[in-house]
Amino acid sequence: MTVHRFISIPYPADTILLHSCCAPCSSGIIDYLLDQNIKPIIFYFNPNIFPTEEYEIRKAENKRYANALEIPFVDADYSYDRWKIKLNHLSDEPERGQRCLECFKIRLVETASYAHSNGYKIFATTLASSRWKSLTQINEAGNYAASLFPDVTFWANNWRKNGLAQNQAKIIREYNFYRQQYCGCEYSLCSV
């Protein structure tokens, strides 16, 4: 593990529900949390990923990493058809447009709901470690999700700073993670 400068957590906690989009994006954050004696519970809810084979590859890599570190992995429902119905009207939106914000909201509301139902007080998302995503949109979606469940707090943080991106790159090489070439949804696949 790498020693990191502490990033202020919303309030003292030893457990956090961590929405994970993929193993590469999760790696630096998970390493940081473990270094701070904060136990992450990986919550894998990504109904946007297309096709199903891509979803299964990303999930398997996430599980492999969780198993290697002996941390819990929650495999949420894959519901691509329901996701597409909700966002199809935004199919022409560019990457980082309104479609992405709505996609983040779907995923983070589900995460906040799980946190609420299972007694987790803080949740965060590994989406915030991707340089390809809008941190403003991610934080808006996370804060929106948390507003629906008053007993849950979203940890809005720029997980790209304080050496986390460099450590992430090191872990990706060490584990030889599968690295996807697009966000995950069929709309982003078409823009590659």
Side-chain angles (χ1 to χ4, degrees):
M1 239 179 263
T2 306
V3 177
H4 303 285
R5 198 173 114 241
F6 185 70
I7 303 165
S8 181
I9 191 167
Y11 54 84
D14 59 2
T15 305
I16 183 171
L17 186 65
L18 182 64
H19 169 264
S20 177
C21 57
C22 65
C25 287
S26 303
S27 60
I29 298 171
I30 290 171
D31 185 65
Y32 171 79
L33 293 171
L34 292 173
D35 192 49
Q36 300 302 320
N37 295 314
I38 300 170
K39 180 182 178 182
I41 311 301
I42 295 177
F43 186 72
Y44 191 76
F45 179 70
N46 299 292
N48 60 305
I49 300 176
F50 177 87
T52 305
E53 296 80 17
E54 179 74 16
Y55 173 85
E56 293 298 336
I57 291 168
R58 293 184 193 195
K59 182 171 75 172
E61 285 291 85
N62 230 234
K63 279 179 134 172
R64 177 170 69 94
Y65 190 50
N67 289 339
L69 298 176
E70 298 180 350
I71 57 178
F73 182 91
V74 178
D75 184 359
D77 184 35
Y78 180 62
S79 51
Y80 183 77
D81 293 335
R82 281 186 279 155
W83 176 89
K84 189 170 179 181
I85 288 168
K86 288 181 181 177
L87 294 181
N88 200 40
H89 69 288
L90 298 170
S91 62
D92 293 331
E93 283 284 312
E95 285 299 295
R96 294 183 173 217
Q98 189 66 27
R99 181 185 68 244
C100 293
L101 174 59
E102 294 306 315
C103 178
F104 298 153
K105 284 181 178 179
I106 289 168
R107 292 151 78 189
L108 296 183
V109 164
E110 188 70 21
T111 305
S113 175
Y114 187 88
H116 168 75
S117 297
N118 291 278
Y120 299 111
K121 299 298 179 197
I122 300 176
F123 74 99
T125 180
T126 65
L127 291 165
S129 73
S130 173
R131 63 189 172 116
W132 305 109
K133 299 294 170 209
S134 164
L135 194 55
T136 300
Q137 286 183 331
I138 292 163
N139 289 338
E140 180 181 339
N143 288 321
Y144 168 76
S147 75
L148 301 175
F149 304 93
D151 61 333
V152 175
T153 300
F154 174 63
W155 188 2
N157 189 48
N158 185 344
W159 296 102
R160 305 165 194 169
K161 294 176 141 188
N162 298 312
L164 292 175
Q166 293 83 355
N167 191 44
Q168 176 181 331
K170 184 183 108 207
I171 296 168
I172 290 168
R173 286 190 302 274
E174 178 185 337
Y175 281 85
N176 193 29
F177 286 134
Y178 165 75
R179 307 257 339 245
Q180 59 273 10
Q181 301 302 308
Y182 64 104
C183 167
C185 76
E186 69 181 279
Y187 309 119
S188 65
L189 177 59
C190 294
S191 68
V192 173

